[in-house]
Amino acid sequence: APSTARLHATWSLAILLRRGKSVTEAEEALVMATEDSDPDVRCVARRAAGELRLTGARGRLLAGLGDPDSRAAFEATLALARLGGRDPLGWMGRPLPPVEQLPVRPEQVQADLLPFLHQRGDDPYLAHAASLALLAWYPDEDLARLARAGSPAVRSAALQALRRARSPRIADFLSGDTL
């Protein structure tokens, strides 16, 4: 189908689901649209998946962090923040990777927010969305550990998340060259 038709179909599915019509086929189609070839369709589908809390989309949304289209990556990140959950990336309690080991090309960024931030954290919209995801996923103690991260973008997003949480752990960022 042409892009415009797919875009309108995605909007229609989202409206149907928002109105409480729990249709498994509609949810599946919306999840599939998060990987559409058209970035506009991906954006609409990812936004709707987050707003509707479609947990079945989590894997595709994580893969969307590596989307070459900034808007589509932004919507994937915001949707992941809306889905919430604890430690979806599995790095809680692990040592933080050094910056040299983080992926350096967008196509290498797969399902991990820290490399995503290191690579694309200079985009203020993506950094904002990533800070919301960090806030939704991790407790203050884990976010405070990021004060020692090698990447300024990672430290900044963690600090923003702690500020939103009004956490006293912000003080961890005051020692040394943290920003």
Side-chain angles (χ1 to χ4, degrees):
S3 291
T4 305
R6 289 194 320 274
L7 185 61
H8 285 275
T10 305
W11 277 328
S12 297
L13 287 171
I15 290 168
L16 177 75
L17 292 168
R18 280 188 191 107
R19 291 186 177 165
K21 308 286 187 204
S22 182
V23 181
T24 304
E25 294 84 10
E27 289 179 10
E28 290 172 3
L30 193 58
V31 169
M32 293 296 292
T34 63
E35 294 181 331
D36 193 86
S37 60
D38 184 338
D40 290 329
V41 174
R42 289 194 307 271
C43 287
V44 169
R46 290 171 181 177
R47 177 178 293 252
E51 289 173 352
L52 295 165
R53 310 294 195 269
L54 298 179
T55 57
R58 186 180 305 274
R60 293 173 195 260
L61 293 170
L62 284 167
L65 293 176
D67 198 307
D69 184 82
S70 290
R71 265 190 24 227
F74 171 79
E75 292 296 347
T77 310
L78 273 184
L80 286 166
R82 287 183 180 116
L83 288 180
R86 286 289 177 218
D87 198 28
L89 305 177
W91 65 264
M92 195 181 298
R94 289 189 340 217
L96 295 171
V99 173
E100 305 81 49
Q101 293 178 4
L102 295 176
V104 293
R105 294 191 310 274
E107 63 271 13
Q108 290 177 299
V109 177
Q110 302 250 343
D112 200 335
L113 197 58
L114 296 181
F116 170 78
L117 269 167
H118 175 65
Q119 172 64 30
R120 301 177 81 175
D122 59 334
D123 181 318
Y125 293 100
L126 294 176
H128 167 71
S131 74
L132 292 175
L134 286 172
L135 177 62
W137 294 347
Y138 299 107
D140 293 0
E141 297 76 35
D142 287 319
L143 292 175
R145 289 178 45 230
L146 293 176
R148 298 181 306 278
S151 168
V154 171
R155 291 191 307 267
S156 178
L159 180 59
Q160 289 175 32
L162 288 169
R163 180 192 56 80
R164 276 187 179 77
R166 294 188 167 112
S167 171
R169 298 301 303 262
I170 290 173
D172 294 359
F173 287 78
L174 294 175
S175 62
D177 183 27
T178 55
L179 295 177

